[in-house]
Amino acid sequence: MWIYSVNFLFLNRLIGIRWTGHNPLISRTADSSGHLPKERNSLWAVRTALKYLNSALELDRNTAEIYKNIADIYFIEKNWEKAIENYKISLSINPAEEETYAKIAECSYNKQDYEEALIYYKEAADIDVVNSKYRY
């Protein structure tokens, strides 16, 4: 239950979904319209999400979704190395996740490691050959 709250907090903070009232996981509240103050929306939101996801890791290191969410934060920050590192940990826990392979491929492409990008795009396509949205 707590991990799902962290995931919602991550999405809530990262993309600015409206919320009302006080969230017990953080000490800051929204204004009367349900928005966080704009100066806190970007960097503060990402740092807060990362803080809570790292706290979730202390409780459970075997949940691929936590590593994937952390990697998504690094992906947004364009920190390709850390994103790849966390996506790979996520894959070690859940190797059947085609989107994680594709995210690694995209990170590799962005850091101009085209050979690795091709390898991971092929892995994504090979997981579900019939229904995959990744083709080569």
Side-chain angles (χ1 to χ4, degrees):
M1 176 74 170
W2 186 79
I3 291 175
Y4 295 113
S5 297
V6 170
N7 286 337
F8 179 75
L9 174 68
F10 165 71
L11 294 173
N12 183 11
R13 298 286 179 238
L14 200 57
I15 62 176
I17 296 173
R18 298 176 88 201
W19 65 293
T20 56
H22 177 72
N23 187 325
L25 294 176
I26 46 178
S27 60
R28 301 172 197 250
T29 58
D31 63 14
S32 61
S33 66
H35 289 121
L36 285 172
K38 288 182 181 176
E39 65 273 8
R40 296 186 195 156
N41 259 348
S42 58
L43 184 59
W44 178 82
V46 171
R47 287 184 180 164
T48 301
L50 194 55
K51 174 183 161 186
Y52 283 103
L53 288 167
N54 283 322
S55 296
L57 275 181
E58 291 175 15
L59 298 174
D60 184 8
R61 293 201 171 272
N62 293 320
T63 303
E65 195 66 27
I66 297 172
Y67 288 104
K68 204 166 139 186
N69 285 337
I70 291 171
D72 287 340
I73 290 173
Y74 289 127
F75 184 90
I76 290 167
E77 292 181 336
K78 298 181 181 178
N79 188 338
W80 312 124
E81 292 296 328
K82 286 192 175 186
I84 289 171
E85 175 186 332
N86 282 283
Y87 284 131
K88 285 183 177 180
I89 294 170
S90 176
L91 280 178
S92 70
I93 297 167
N94 182 11
E97 184 66 45
E98 74 179 47
E99 286 196 26
T100 305
Y101 285 101
K103 284 287 201 170
I104 293 173
E106 193 171 344
C107 290
S108 298
Y109 182 85
N110 287 331
K111 65 179 200 150
Q112 298 178 344
D113 186 351
Y114 303 117
E115 290 178 21
E116 183 172 332
L118 183 60
I119 290 168
Y120 280 96
Y121 274 128
K122 284 182 178 180
E123 287 287 332
D126 289 343
I127 288 177
D128 187 357
V129 179
V130 175
N131 297 316
S132 181
K133 56 186 166 184
Y134 309 103
R135 302 272 187 244
Y136 63 94

